[in-house]
Amino acid sequence: WIGLKNYYDMFYVDELFGKAVYNTLYYALFSVPLGLIFAIVLAMLLNYRVWGLTFFRATFFLPSIVPGVAAAVIWAWILNPEYGLINDLLGRLGLPGPPWLTSAVWSKPAFILMSLWGIGSTTIIFLAALQDIPQHLYEAAEIDGANLFHRAYYVTLPMLTPAIFFNLIMGVIGALQIFTQVYVISDGGPLWSTLFYVFYLYRQGFQY
């Protein structure tokens, strides 16, 4: 029995614990707001009555039901610095492609970009909330001279507050629990730049 020495070692001896907490908070700080913004914009676009709307809704929702391991394998190919899809497109535009998952600088932005793949379920919740907004609010705002931006800012966003709060909580929980992508793609590297907290727990509990 060593009392509180485990906690002392974790805070003062183990250098990876602080790095894992920092990486996780960094990931959550950027992935959650970006996911909310993209999901709201996408939900607004999918709320317009256009031809093939059902197809577009299903297409944007489909990535969120892809198994985590399969999605990680797909993104490992997309973000490959040598023959990946993103760097190939950047090369065709004459732009240098980042090293992505092989760089300690670009690895966390790569995982943040990867997180936007699964915003389909968040978008569906926002879409349901959008369809629940009474139309007479938009009509009254339009009569008062509100343009598209004013209607979105003064009517849509306030009415979406409960959905935004729910998706914010769920997004933070999901971001703090990121594991599968790290386990499949990077194993915490390079230079422990993708050592997130749950993967750190996994290493402590099962690999050691």
Side-chain angles (χ1 to χ4, degrees):
W1 172 254
I2 60 173
L4 299 177
K5 189 174 183 300
N6 278 324
Y7 292 95
Y8 177 85
D9 291 345
M10 182 172 67
F11 286 109
Y12 297 105
V13 178
D14 189 353
E15 298 178 356
L16 294 182
F17 172 74
K19 187 177 289 290
V21 173
Y22 168 78
N23 290 338
T24 306
L25 293 178
Y26 180 100
Y27 173 79
L29 181 64
F30 288 96
S31 66
V32 175
L34 285 175
L36 289 176
I37 292 171
F38 277 94
I40 290 175
V41 173
L42 185 58
M44 289 181 176
L45 292 175
L46 293 177
N47 197 36
Y48 285 102
R49 302 296 177 181
V50 296
W51 182 84
L53 183 60
T54 304
F55 169 78
F56 289 116
R57 288 177 178 175
T59 301
F60 284 109
F61 180 74
L62 191 61
S64 64
I65 63 175
V66 174
V69 174
V73 172
I74 292 172
W75 275 99
W77 169 70
I78 293 175
L79 295 172
N80 188 284
E82 297 180 4
Y83 54 82
L85 181 62
I86 293 180
N87 281 7
D88 181 68
L89 293 176
L90 291 175
R92 294 175 186 273
L93 296 175
L95 300 174
W100 295 117
L101 298 171
T102 60
S103 166
V105 176
W106 285 95
S107 57
K108 282 190 285 292
F111 276 87
I112 293 170
L113 179 64
M114 203 182 308
S115 69
L116 300 179
W117 164 271
I119 63 172
S121 56
T122 307
T123 303
I124 290 297
I125 295 173
F126 280 133
L127 184 59
L130 282 172
Q131 294 179 348
D132 200 39
I133 298 176
Q135 283 298 119
H136 68 264
L137 297 179
Y138 292 108
E139 295 169 358
E142 193 171 357
I143 291 174
D144 289 338
N147 57 30
L148 184 62
F149 173 79
H150 291 147
R151 292 197 296 271
Y153 186 79
Y154 291 106
V155 178
T156 304
L157 289 180
M159 295 298 292
L160 285 180
T161 301
I164 293 173
F165 181 71
F166 173 79
N167 283 327
L168 173 64
I169 298 299
M170 298 303 293
V172 170
I173 292 173
L176 297 180
Q177 291 180 340
I178 177 174
F179 171 79
T180 305
Q181 300 93 316
V182 185
Y183 181 79
V184 173
I185 297 176
S186 66
D187 199 37
L191 301 177
W192 302 120
S193 59
T194 59
L195 179 66
F196 298 112
Y197 183 68
V198 175
F199 187 70
Y200 171 86
L201 289 178
Y202 167 77
R203 285 167 53 84
Q204 295 292 329
F206 296 99
Q207 289 188 350
Y208 298 155

